[in-house]
Amino acid sequence: MRLVGLTGGIGCGKTTVAAEFERLGVPCFVADRAGAACYDDSHFRNQVEKILGPAVIGLSGEIDRHAVADIVFADREKMEQLNALVHPRVMAAFAEWCKEQKAPYVLLESAILYEYGLDKYMDDVVAVYVGMGERIERLRVRDNVTEKQLMPRILAQMPAEEKMMRADYVVLNYEGNPRRQQVEYIHRQIMNKIPK
Ligand code: ADP
């Protein structure tokens, strides 16, 4: 089965674009969701606490993911330690999920596909791009956050322009741009690469 990465900075529209691929019958694995599911495991939670300290434990004894985000977006080393914990689990979950899929190709959606070298496991990469101003505006509406809260998260990622340059295909997700047609075109190109 062909593996296709779907990437782009936070707020550029990956989820929105993934929905267009899903409409065409392409299954999509969301790495971020699999990362969040790691926190269901108490052994994992203990390891996170060991790296990030007791400040990440919320009032109910659960991991406070907002506290985790605040720490790792301000401390690169801690972010790398956390990712070293999360990354193999997410890839193992992806490999298991792939075994159940019947489609000619599947998508792995991850904002940090390039940052963590996951692109080397992919046959193709699709990057979603929109300018910084639009991203900030959309995230302010989607997540009810301020630009000040957003900037460390945006700056922790590789510049969106670099992702666009490295990708095999790009979806330009400006408002009013024909997103559906762009996805259909890319889908046809990928399908043409798959031996009949
Ligand atoms: P990501 O998954 O990359 O973080 P989303 O797909 O959640 O981004 O998109 C961020 C926000 O922008 C969402 O609220 C979404 O509805 C909105 N959005 C996405 N694409 C467009 C578009 N072309 N025009 C206007 N709003 C959009």
Side-chain angles (χ1 to χ4, degrees), residues 142-160:
R142 188 190 73 182
D143 298 343
N144 194 22
V145 284
T146 63
E147 184 170 342
K148 195 160 170 248
Q149 288 170 306
L150 281 171
M151 282 325 280
R153 285 156 210 221
I154 290 180
L155 295 175
Q157 298 179 349
M158 178 190 287

Side-chain angles (χ1 to χ4, degrees), residues 8-17 109 138-139 142 173-176 179:
I10 166 175
C12 63
K14 291 180 298 302
T15 309
T16 316
V17 167
E109 180 195 326
R138 289 174 189 176
L139 288 170
R142 188 190 73 182
N173 190 25
Y174 287 98
E175 195 167 353
R179 184 173 55 233

Side-chain angles (χ1 to χ4, degrees), residues 15-91:
T15 309
T16 316
V17 167
E20 292 290 353
F21 278 99
E22 283 175 325
R23 194 182 60 82
L24 298 170
V26 183
C28 179
F29 183 91
V30 181
D32 204 36
R33 215 176 289 149
C38 291
Y39 288 89
D40 295 340
D41 170 10
S42 63
H43 177 62
F44 177 84
R45 290 198 300 269
N46 291 340
Q47 286 179 302
V48 172
E49 189 188 349
K50 231 178 256 168
I51 294 172
L52 303 181
V56 296
I57 306 297
L59 291 177
S60 56
E62 295 298 296
I63 294 274
D64 176 351
R65 293 199 68 209
H66 291 291
V68 170
D70 287 342
I71 294 174
V72 299
F73 285 116
D75 184 334
R76 222 185 160 90
E77 202 176 311
K78 290 221 159 69
M79 181 183 276
E80 275 165 22
Q81 287 176 319
L82 180 68
N83 279 322
L85 211 57
V86 176
H87 176 182
R89 285 170 178 254
V90 169
M91 288 315 281

